């Protein structure tokens, strides 16, 4: 069995939306080169069979997303893509029938998170049309509404979510209200290989966020790692700015980076249920795994 369940390979740091829940990256805006992508897959092959094409940025912006999927297939990887869904119609022919494509996650909360979004029905219809077209390819689809709040949601946001869910309920001829079946952090099956997941909005970890006592656990470098577009290796998909810079695959092998001193200290720290990195002590997501 390979060490990691997944490795995140960021293929672009650019996004076509500006969502309230996702701070823009301060890194240079760029796309991964095809040759660099292929080399990174060779580097991580001993560690996982599953790659996720995101950290920050919108993966469907990459002009050669079809080539990247073909390379991933040639090298034996299964690919998961998380997208805001706004470019799905434009990329239809680059995605349909690609054998490497295992799962697509649509962040539907992006519609309301981006100021100026218009035509909810049209946005959702393009996504649903793609899902229907891809049925024969056995792709798994997850619709995400990660905009719940710990206190009561505003009536406006509740209304917006209902409008989104209503379109999905009609499309799949559901005889129940999705909200009645799903609980935060879990999904509900709405069709064959199609799921909807609702969860609370989370805050991206930041060096300006409050620091806690650092007790707890995380799966970073235990079941996953991430490589930013510029080659920086980080412990997880939430370190979007490369604060915990473990090394760069353009200079050092991935194996040496994840086996290095800083990476080892991080893993051993969480084995003691202790966050040794400052960013981890400022990460609210870590608290989901308990103290």
């Amino acid at each position: 069995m390979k060490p990691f369940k997944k490795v995140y390979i960021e293929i672009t740091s650019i996004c076509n939306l500006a969502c309230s829940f996702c701070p823009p990256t301060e890194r240079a805006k760029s796309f991964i080169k095809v040759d660099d992508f292929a080399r990174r897959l060779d580097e991580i092959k001993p560690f996982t069979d599953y790659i996720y094409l995101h950290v920050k940025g919108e993966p469907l912006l990459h002009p050669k997303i079809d080539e990247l999927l073909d390379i991933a297939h040639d090298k034996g990887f299964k690919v998961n893509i998380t997208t805001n869904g706004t470019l799905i119609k434009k990329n239809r022919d680059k995605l349909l029938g690609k054998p490497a494509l295992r799962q697509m996650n649509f962040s539907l909360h992006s519609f309301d998170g981006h100021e100026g979004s218009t035509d909810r029905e049209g946005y959702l219809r393009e996504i649903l049309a793609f899902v229907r077209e891809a049925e024969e390819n056995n792709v798994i689809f997850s619709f995400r509404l990660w905009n719940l709040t710990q206190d009561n949601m505003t009536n406006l946001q509740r209304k917006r979510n209902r409008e989104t869910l209503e379109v999905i309920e009609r499309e799949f001829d559901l005889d129940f209200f999705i909200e009645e079946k799903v609980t935060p952090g879990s999904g509900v099956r709405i069709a064959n290989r199609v799921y909807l997941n609702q969860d609370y909005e989370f805050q991206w970890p930041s060096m300006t966020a409050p620091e806690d006592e650092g007790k707890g656990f995380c799966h970073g470098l235990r079941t996953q790692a991430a490589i930013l577009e510029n080659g920086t290796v980080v412990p997880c998909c939430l370190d979007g700015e490369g604060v915990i810079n473990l090394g760069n695959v353009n200079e050092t092998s991935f194996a040496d980076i994840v086996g290095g001193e800083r990476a080892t200290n991080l893993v051993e720290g969480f084995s003691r249920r202790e966050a040794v990195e400052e960013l981890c002590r400022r990460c609210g997501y870590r608290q989901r795994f308990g103290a």
Side-chain angles (χ1 to χ4, degrees):
M1 184 175 295
K2 296 186 177 181
F4 295 150
K5 290 182 179 179
K6 54 196 171 187
V7 172
Y8 294 85
I9 305 288
E10 183 186 73
I11 60 174
T12 180
S13 56
I14 306 170
C15 190
N16 61 324
L17 300 184
C19 295
S20 58
F21 55 81
C22 185
T25 181
E26 298 177 2
R27 293 181 283 119
K29 294 177 170 58
S30 56
F31 295 99
I32 196 171
K33 294 180 174 61
V34 172
D35 289 345
D36 287 341
F37 180 76
R39 280 193 292 270
R40 287 174 196 180
L41 294 193
D42 289 338
E43 292 261 356
I44 69 170
K45 187 57 184 174
F47 293 86
T48 191
D49 291 322
Y50 296 90
I51 56 174
Y52 286 61
L53 300 186
H54 68 281
V55 175
K56 286 293 189 71
E58 167 52 51
L60 297 191
L61 275 174
H62 199 292
K64 297 183 177 180
I65 184 69
D66 51 343
E67 291 184 41
L68 302 187
L69 287 170
D70 288 340
I71 291 169
H73 175 64
D74 290 343
K75 293 182 181 296
F77 287 93
K78 289 297 183 181
V79 177
N80 298 262
I81 295 176
T82 295
T83 172
N84 58 45
T86 57
L87 303 174
I88 193 65
K89 183 176 181 180
K90 180 180 178 180
N91 285 277
R92 170 191 176 276
D93 294 334
K94 292 183 177 183
L95 298 171
L96 284 175
K98 292 297 185 183
L101 186 58
R102 172 185 175 270
Q103 180 168 333
M104 291 195 68
N105 306 312
F106 290 99
S107 297
L108 303 184
H109 47 282
S110 300
F111 183 87
D112 291 318
H114 176 73
E115 185 176 353
S117 292
T118 59
D119 190 13
R120 183 188 309 272
E121 179 100 12
Y123 162 73
L124 293 169
R125 283 295 162 202
E126 289 186 355
I127 292 173
L128 291 168
F130 179 83
V131 170
R132 290 300 196 187
E133 286 186 287
E135 282 180 333
E136 64 186 45
N137 301 126
N138 296 321
V139 179
I140 300 167
F141 292 100
S142 174
F143 300 133
R144 293 176 172 179
L145 269 179
W146 289 3
N147 59 6
L148 302 179
T149 57
Q150 295 289 349
D151 51 3
N152 291 328
M153 294 177 64
T154 65
N155 288 333
L156 176 60
Q157 189 56 59
R158 190 177 293 108
K159 176 177 179 293
R160 288 171 171 173
N161 280 2
R162 176 91 295 271
E163 291 171 354
T164 293
L165 295 175
E166 190 174 82
V167 173
I168 296 172
E169 289 164 357
R170 289 200 309 267
E171 173 67 26
F172 293 98
D173 195 25
L174 302 183
D175 59 359
F176 59 86
F177 293 117
I178 291 174
E179 303 101 310
E180 297 175 354
K181 298 286 188 178
V182 68
T183 56
S186 65
V188 58
R189 180 180 178 274
I190 58 178
N192 187 31
R193 295 187 297 277
V194 181
Y195 303 85
L196 187 136
N197 180 283
Q198 285 196 280
D199 208 340
Y200 296 108
E201 180 179 325
F202 69 88
Q203 298 294 319
W204 283 81
S206 166
M207 294 299 282
T208 62
E211 184 175 359
D212 61 29
E213 73 281 2
K215 300 299 182 184
F217 181 78
C218 180
H219 293 282
L221 291 180
R222 193 174 297 270
T223 63
Q224 63 171 276
I227 307 176
L228 303 183
E229 187 280 332
N230 62 13
T232 299
V233 178
V234 292
C236 72
C237 63
L238 296 183
D239 188 359
E241 293 305 306
V243 174
I244 307 176
N245 184 342
L246 301 173
N248 193 294
V249 291
N250 297 325
E251 304 164 356
T252 309
S253 74
F254 182 79
D256 285 345
I257 291 172
V258 297
E261 182 179 1
R262 189 173 185 182
T264 300
N265 288 341
L266 186 148
V267 173
E268 291 179 349
F270 280 124
S271 294
R272 303 189 302 269
R273 308 195 75 80
E274 173 187 345
V276 300
E277 291 283 348
E278 183 179 354
L279 183 68
C280 299
R281 297 193 294 271
R282 298 178 184 271
C283 177
Y285 198 85
R286 188 195 82 246
Q287 298 167 2
R288 298 187 179 201
F289 303 111

